[in-house]
Amino acid sequence: MATVEIIQADITTLTVDAVVNAANSALAGGGGVDGAIHRAAGPILDQECRTIRQTRYRSGLPTGAAVATSAGNMPAKWVIHTVGPVWDNSGTQDGLLGTCYTNSINVADEIGATSIAFPTISAGVFAYPLERATRVAVETCLNARPDVVRTILLVAFSAKAERAYNKALKELKG
Ligand code: AR6
């Protein structure tokens, strides 16, 4: 059983085993948390991402999938890259967003990570509504039954995000 905790922080500063990156399918780096993680980790991250792109995921990392690299200069041991859905107003993407969390937790289990920190996947550049994205995150993580992972941190980058997480946690945990 893993505990799910909400914290407000810059995810790149956290001393956890694995930090999740809200990446793009090319694993090419970008803005938002992806840019911050690449800057904090240093050039090794781009090198490892390029290797993954050229070997395991030649057509790109599919939405919902997750893959691990080292974390370079960050305090974490690994970065787990996942690609969230781009919000399309259909209201049908919660399942796909949820698979980002479950697949990332599965990868964390495989590599032996006991703690994992998530940003609010898809809630920035990919335009998922914040309340909805945080609710999917909380619900999926509360339902996860990892073998190795003991602590799941849901990282709010703003006070507004922290409020949204806590609201979802209160509603879903009862
Ligand atoms: N620590 C924690 N959370 C952060 C940080 C940080 N340092 N920086 C931003 N956030 P986004 P997406 C929050 O846009 O929507 C990139 O260009 C941010 O406030 O990073 O999944 C990729 O390359 C927001 O709540 O990811 C992709 O192309 C959350 O992280 C695309 O953006 C996610 O926002 C992915 O878009």
Side-chain angles (χ1 to χ4, degrees):
M1 191 69 179
T3 59
V4 178
E5 296 167 24
I6 315 295
I7 56 159
Q8 194 184 340
D10 173 350
I11 204 167
T12 64
T13 66
L14 298 179
T15 306
V16 286
D17 283 348
V19 161
V20 176
N21 182 19
N24 51 62
S25 72
L27 296 178
V33 73
D34 194 4
I37 286 174
H38 273 264
R39 276 192 301 277
I44 184 128
L45 203 63
D46 194 47
Q47 285 161 24
E48 288 188 37
C49 286
R50 201 175 314 128
T51 304
I52 291 169
R53 216 155 57 219
Q54 288 166 354
T55 53
R56 289 171 64 190
Y57 289 105
R58 296 178 78 96
S59 335
L61 187 66
T63 304
V67 65
T69 64
S70 66
N73 299 326
M74 288 201 300
K77 293 182 192 156
W78 296 282
V79 175
I80 297 174
H81 306 261
T82 188
V83 184
V86 179
W87 175 251
D88 67 1
N89 273 303
S90 69
T92 61
Q93 298 166 293
D94 292 355
L96 193 51
L97 180 58
T99 63
C100 292
Y101 290 88
T102 46
N103 284 329
S104 297
I105 292 168
N106 288 342
V107 169
D109 264 353
E110 281 163 22
I111 60 181
T114 60
S115 52
I116 182 169
F118 284 98
T120 321
I121 299 164
S122 290
V125 175
F126 285 175
Y128 224 88
L130 183 65
E131 285 229 356
R132 194 160 179 145
T134 50
R135 194 181 168 86
V136 170
V138 170
E139 187 163 28
T140 311
C141 292
L142 284 176
N143 288 328
R145 294 290 175 268
D147 295 322
V148 179
V149 173
R150 287 287 160 268
T151 308
I152 302 172
L153 296 182
L154 296 177
V155 181
F157 200 45
S158 64
K160 191 177 168 199
E162 190 177 27
R163 282 194 297 276
Y165 276 124
N166 281 321
K167 181 167 178 265
L169 191 63
K170 203 171 158 200
E171 284 169 11
L172 292 162
K173 245 186 152 177

